[in-house]
Structure formats: structure tokens, C-alpha cells
Amino acid sequence: MPIILNSFPLKVPDLFLAACQIPYDKQTLDGLRTKYRSTHAFRRQGESILVFSRDGQFPVSGSTQNVALKDNFGIFCFLVKDGLTRHLAGLGRRPLGFTPIELISAKPEDNLLVPILGDAYPFQVCAKYTIDTRYVQGQPSLIIDCTTRRVLKETCLFFLRAGFDLIGRYVVTEEQDGYRKLLGSVSALKGETLHVTRPDGQIEQIDAKDAYLEASRTNFDDYILHTHGAQKDAIVERIRQSVSSFNGGENKKVRIETLKKYIQSNTVTMIDGTRIEIEDAPDIQRQCEQMHKPVFVFNDNGEADWAEKGLTQYGPYTKRTFDRNDPSICVICGQHDKGRVEQFVRKLLKGISSSKYFSNGLEGKFALGTSRVEVFATTTDSVEAYKSAIETAIRKKADDGGRWDLALVQVRQSFKKLKVTENPYYLGKSLFFLHQVPVQDFTIELLDQSDYSLGYSLNNMALACYAKMGGVPWLLKCSPTLSHELVIGIGSANIGQERGAGNQRIMGITTVFSGDGSYIVSNTSKAVVPEAYCEALTAVLGETIEKIQKRMNWQKGDTIRLIFHAQVKKFNKEEIEAVRAVIDKYREYQVEYAFLKLSEDHGLHMFDSATAGAQKGRLAPLRGKTFKLSKHEMLVYLIGQRELRQNTDGHPRGVILAVHKDSTFKDIKYLSAQVCSFASHSWRSYFPNPMPVTISYSDLIARNLGWLNQLPGWNDSVMIGKIGQSQWFL
């Protein structure tokens, strides 16, 4: 049955176009665009600016050349997008951006909030179209996507008069082209004047009528609470369902087709008057492939392609070697919730008899024996109260000459809004980690779930608990190759509750290596700021090679394959040179390497008519479906139609994998299969992950260590102990 992409081949005209070439300078380029935007198109090409015109006349003097469009796809794609932008602007629409071009629908019927909150509501959730170009199997193509965007039509003056508190909220100003630029957060009000603290710390005054609230999720939800009070949660859920349904495969495909047909049936031209022509999306079904399911290894080398089934049938991989049986567990909770928390902990340990997958609990599923549990209650929700309860728990165990095997800490959803230094969540982690005790947090709101839903939540929580205590639930089987493999994942997190100068980007690193027929996650917990990242990457690489070559008995002349996974715009020269410098130290081995970029934000979708009749996820491809975009690029679905939980879940996003040109190992099919397997290997949840563990674990390490480093007295050297050898960050 047909499979298509939202990618429409462009017909490249066989013509030459006159262009004037002048040296590049940012100020010159910006000035020319501002002054001559309506009559000319300007493109930066390396260290030059190319100027294109309607009539062959140019506003600057430079060298003139004739550009063959069939030999210059990059220039052709630029002129196509420039032509589309001009056409839309000529219709009175306000296209935003260029890579991609964004178009927000102004039609009342395209505002999803009208049936829920009426058309007078200041916030809107509108249909948003994006248009971009990319090469698909060497063919320049137009990529059209449709999703939604939160929009605010009223200025801050409206919200002031509505009695909505603006203090602490981010505001934006509107540029001439319609783009809204962040100004800062409101620190004070004087009449109808806002005092705004900019990201650089400077205070700026602006009239409320000249600024807009940022259309953020926080401002949106808070305003619904302001206008609808107790109905807020029900309304937010209705909006979520409406947005998810809108993003479903059927609706997405229909809307994309509508815009494609509009471009096909109307005269949309490039700047010289040449018509832009696009073809229908071809059927790629024969070129798509389906990845095999990964195989997991359990106790006594039992194998299964479904983790849940393998655990039930064979038990965890470390069933016979786990050293924390009959674990000592301490529970930290609020004194007013103690009874309910005790019931919850019992369900976690013993199971829920009516649950399909969690009838025998953490103790039964992972063969832990009988847990010894003690509860320590906090008097209030303050950091001081939590600190007192945690210190009491640690002291008591120390007096008994032992150590807790696991700490269960009850927190609240509202803690997320607190500063790190005032947040019991981070305090609990830091104090227990200091004493080498792994921590599993849970929110008090989780206790409100029905036993049916709670069974699924506790099933995932028990899996994470076992891994945090040093257990190995399962290993991922790898097909034997002639090479030893080491896969290094690079993740990141933005740390800081305020935007601007105080914000930090933290990089995290995870390593996975092959040995004994399985992939083994190595416990290298490393998080650093970007400036120190290259140094940390080479240090981790060197340390890991030293450790693994002994453990796996690498021999002189063996082939070692290093694979790097990252969600970056592109790998830079410094990273590649740093890796080469490490490789040079191991000349006794044959070393090859691949730099693999994983991208979620690409706007490309696959529509598979084989699932058109499905109850949920109509037109969504199955997990593991792949399509080769070029020699070095692959579109891979790590979440597919069967992983969607309900019919309002929208269309799953694929990931584009791209191998860097400087790689010495370039088998994109092999690398894609490996990423697909790694996406099923998380011990945080039984559900397949939208990212491989190399990335998701690295992101978690970066986020956790990044926040913990904001606490006074915290030191990453704590993680050198036994705690750092477990999956503490899950």
C-alpha cells in the first residue's frame, strides 16, 4: 500500500539567471535587504553576496555572472522560497522567517479555541503552516507541514485591565515584519507603564499598549485559571485533545495537500517571473524498509524481543548476582500524607493484584526478597523540614552500622516552580547521593491515580528503582561483528530558572560498548559546561577505552569502531580533531569512527496508507520504518503507530540520522538499526523512547548534575563512589 512523504519534487528550470556578486559583509547585506527587499533578492554565498533582480538591473556594482539553476540547487531552492514569501506577502499574509517560512492562519475556523473558549478570548491556538526545501534522494523538494501555534492578539494593556498579574511574566515586542522579540520579564508596574528587566539585567520602561505577553504555556494556563478558576484543568485537557487531534495523520495530510494544490494551481513565480512548479509526492513504499525488533537478554541468557515478557519468563539479567536482596528502604513523606504514602509504597513493593503487568510488585518481579521499610515524616513542605527528616533517616541507619539501599522521596508538582535552593526535590537527591544512596522521587498527585493507571506508573518506577540499586534488568543483544564497538552519546540541558545571563548550557556524556554479544551501558556520569566539553569528551573517551580494552581483552590489530551520537546543529572541527587526537594514542588497533547527528526538527513526515483504517494513529508508519534520504541521511521512526496510546495522540515524529562527511565508517543502514535498538533500551520505562539511550541518558545526566551544581556545597566528586556506577539519573 502506498507510503508518501510531505515532500513534493520541484521542477528545476533549464535556464540561466543573471546575478551580481559583491563581497559579503553583514551590515551591507542587512542594509540592502531593508532598502531593496521589494525589488531584489539577496543571498549570502560563502564570502560573497549574490543579488538577483526582476529586470536584470542591480542597485550595486559588482561582477555579473549567469547562474545555471540545474547546476546550483542551493541557489534554486533559495529563489523558490523567496518567490513563495513574496507571493504570500502580496496576498496580505505575513509570512515569518525563511528557514522555514512560517504562515499562521488568520481564518476564525482555524482557531482551535473558538469552540472551547469563544472567538473573543485573547489567546488563540491557530493552524500554522511551514514551508521549506531539502534534497530528497538528490532531488530538490518542497516540504510542507501543518501544526499549531499559540498566538496572542491583545497587548499587555488588555491583561492589565482584566486584572491579570503581569509581575514576573515574560513580555515581547512586535517588529515591523510581525516577528515578536523577547524583551524581558516584568519587574514592576506604574500605572500603564511596565518596568521590564531585560536578559542582560538592565531595566527598561515600556507602555503596556506597546508590549505583548509571551504566548508561553505558563502564561496561557495561568490566564485560563484567572478566567475560569476550577474549570481550568478540564479546559486545558480539552485543548490538549483538540490540538492532538488536529496534529493527527489524516488532518495533517489533508491540510498539506490543500496548500500543495494551491501552489500547483496558482501562478507563484521566482523573482525573474519563472513559475515555481511542484509535482505530487511519489509513492516510496518500495524504498522503505522495516527494522527487526531488538532482542533482550535476561537471567540464564534467556532471550525475548519484548522486555516485559522476558522479565516475567526469566527474571532480570542480574537475578543471581544482585547484591541488595531484602533491601533497606527509607521513605520520606509529609506527615499529613503518611497513611496514603504507606499504602502507595506497599503497592510498589508487593504489586496490585488486578494489574496486568504489576501484580507481584518490585519484590516479586525482580526477585528481591522482602524489603525492610521505614518511614520518616516531614512536618512541613519546607527545605528545612525535608533536610531534618532525611538527616534523621541517614543518622539512624549509620547508628545501626548499615546504609539504605534506596530512598523513596515524596514531593509535589508545585515544587517544580521553586528555586533550586528552596526545592526539597534537589535537596533530597544531594543529601542521599552524598551518602551513596540512590533516590526515587514520586509526586503526591500520583497517589490519586486509579489502580489501573497506577499499575503502569509503578511498573516503570520499579524498573528504574532496580537499575538505581545497581541491578541490570536486561541487556541488549548485538549481532556479532568483527569490530569492538564503543558508542558515545552527547546530550545537553539548559539550566537556570531565569532566561538570559544566569542561564547555563550543560553537556552530558553516556557511553555504551559491545562485549560478550551484548551492548553494555557504561556508568560514566559526566556533565560539563560547553567551554570544557571538548576536553571532557576526550577524557571520557580515553578513560573508557583504557577500561574496556582490559575488560574485553582487546588484541593488537583488532578493529575498534567509535560511534558518536549527538543532537547538535553540526559536529564542529574541534570535536572531530579532539577525537582524532585520542585515536592517535591507540595505533596498535585499527580505529574507525562515525559522527552521527540525530534531528527531530525537520518537518518531514511519512504517511503510510497501510494504517489508514487503524483505530488510533491513522496513516502513522510502524516503529522501525526507515527511508533513505541520501547516501548519508536516513529517516527513522523510533515511535510508531502502535506506540500511540489514544486516537488523539497526533502523528508520530521521525528522526533524521545524518553521518558527518569526515566519518571513516559510513554505513547509514547499520547505524540506523543500532539507534533503533538503543531507543528500546531505556531502563526508565518499558515503552520505546523517542531517542536512543545514548542521547536520553546524556540529557538526564546533564539536567540532574546541572541543577545539583546550583546547590551550595555540592561537588560532582560524590558521583565517583558506588552511586555513580548505577543508573542514578533515571
Side-chain angles (χ1 to χ4, degrees), residues 628-698:
K628 199 171 181 180
L629 296 167
S630 69
K631 279 183 183 176
H632 66 277
E633 281 186 312
M634 186 84 85
L635 175 65
V636 179
Y637 276 82
L638 302 179
I639 296 287
Q641 182 262 332
R642 288 175 187 156
E643 284 68 49
L644 302 177
R645 300 186 197 175
Q646 48 201 17
N647 57 7
T648 57
D649 269 359
H651 199 68
R653 270 198 304 188
V655 175
I656 290 181
L657 311 180
V659 185
H660 192 277
K661 61 181 175 55
D662 288 346
S663 302
T664 57
F665 180 77
K666 298 185 179 182
D667 187 341
I668 187 68
K669 193 172 173 182
Y670 176 88
L671 293 168
S672 300
Q674 191 179 65
V675 165
C676 212
S677 294
F678 283 10
S680 300
H681 191 36
S682 172
W683 293 334
R684 200 173 190 222
S685 166
Y686 289 94
F687 301 114
N689 211 301
M691 274 287 145
V693 289
T694 40
I695 299 288
S696 58
Y697 279 13
S698 297

Side-chain angles (χ1 to χ4, degrees), residues 425-475:
Y425 173 83
Y426 290 109
L427 173 97
K429 279 189 184 297
S430 67
L431 286 179
F432 278 121
F433 286 171
L434 195 61
H435 292 84
Q436 303 294 304
V437 180
V439 181
Q440 177 64 51
D441 294 278
F442 61 94
T443 62
I444 195 68
E445 289 80 7
L446 189 63
L447 277 62
D448 295 330
Q449 286 189 351
S450 67
D451 274 1
Y452 176 79
S453 299
L454 191 61
Y456 289 97
S457 301
L458 291 180
N459 199 23
N460 288 331
M461 190 169 153
L463 174 66
C465 284
Y466 185 69
K468 285 177 179 183
M469 288 193 287
V472 176
W474 62 76
L475 291 179

Side-chain angles (χ1 to χ4, degrees), residues 96-371:
L96 300 169
F98 195 77
T99 306
I101 301 164
E102 291 189 354
L103 185 67
I104 294 162
S105 175
K107 294 178 183 175
E109 62 268 30
D110 282 349
N111 175 10
L112 275 59
L113 293 194
V114 170
I116 301 169
L117 294 167
D119 59 359
Y121 207 70
F123 279 91
Q124 299 175 332
V125 175
C126 299
K128 180 188 82 171
Y129 295 89
T130 57
I131 305 169
D132 211 344
T133 53
R134 75 172 299 131
Y135 305 148
V136 176
Q137 296 189 335
Q139 169 73 42
S141 304
L142 199 68
I143 311 297
I144 301 173
D145 193 11
C146 180
T147 179
T148 59
R149 161 75 74 83
R150 271 191 303 274
V151 179
L152 248 181
K153 55 184 180 181
E154 302 287 357
T155 67
C156 287
L157 188 58
F158 172 92
F159 292 97
L160 265 184
R161 290 175 176 172
F164 186 55
D165 184 11
L166 298 183
I167 300 293
R169 299 190 185 279
Y170 286 98
V171 293
V172 296
T173 51
E174 190 165 276
E175 311 279 292
Q176 275 187 322
D177 60 1
Y179 175 75
R180 290 188 177 179
K181 187 178 177 183
L182 179 70
L183 184 64
S185 67
V186 179
S187 51
L189 299 167
K190 198 169 184 181
E192 293 181 354
T193 302
L194 310 180
H195 292 237
V196 179
T197 305
R198 297 197 321 227
D200 62 6
Q202 298 292 310
I203 305 285
E204 186 171 323
Q205 293 185 25
I206 187 169
D207 284 345
K209 65 177 174 28
D210 296 328
Y212 293 84
L213 259 183
E214 186 182 47
S216 66
R217 178 66 190 268
T218 303
N219 289 341
F220 182 52
D221 285 3
D222 288 354
Y223 190 69
I224 293 173
L225 179 65
H226 176 74
T227 54
H228 288 77
Q231 294 175 281
K232 177 237 175 184
D233 288 346
I235 290 169
V236 167
E237 177 56 21
R238 278 183 68 193
I239 294 167
R240 186 199 68 76
Q241 289 188 13
S242 176
V243 169
S244 294
S245 297
F246 182 90
N247 286 322
E250 287 177 311
N251 184 61
K252 195 180 275 283
K253 185 170 180 282
V254 165
R255 284 178 171 268
I256 288 167
E257 283 283 324
T258 303
L259 183 51
K260 183 246 339 182
K261 284 176 182 169
Y262 172 85
I263 295 168
Q264 285 176 328
S265 59
N266 285 271
T267 305
V268 184
T269 66
M270 296 190 297
I271 196 160
D272 69 320
T274 305
R275 187 174 174 183
I276 295 166
E277 294 185 75
I278 57 172
E279 299 171 5
D280 289 344
D283 179 6
I284 58 167
Q285 190 260 331
R286 287 178 179 275
Q287 295 155 278
C288 290
E289 292 192 13
Q290 185 68 44
M291 295 280 182
H292 295 297
K293 279 184 171 183
V295 174
F296 306 108
V297 184
F298 301 89
N299 176 46
D300 293 338
N301 290 320
E303 293 182 2
D305 61 8
W306 182 26
E308 188 71 60
K309 180 186 172 188
L311 266 181
T312 306
Q313 200 169 336
Y314 305 108
Y317 183 80
T318 48
K319 181 178 178 179
R320 300 192 189 282
T321 56
F322 187 67
D323 61 358
R324 293 195 184 185
N325 290 314
D326 302 325
S328 292
I329 299 173
C330 76
V331 180
I332 308 293
C333 69
Q335 63 180 8
H336 299 296
D337 301 304
K338 189 179 175 188
R340 292 166 64 224
V341 167
E342 285 176 354
Q343 290 175 327
F344 171 84
V345 171
R346 182 176 173 80
K347 287 175 183 176
L348 170 67
L349 299 176
K350 308 294 181 188
I352 299 170
S353 57
S354 58
S355 173
K356 187 175 180 182
Y357 301 120
F358 201 64
S359 58
N360 52 357
L362 171 64
E363 293 175 347
K365 196 160 196 169
F366 294 95
L368 292 185
T370 306
S371 307

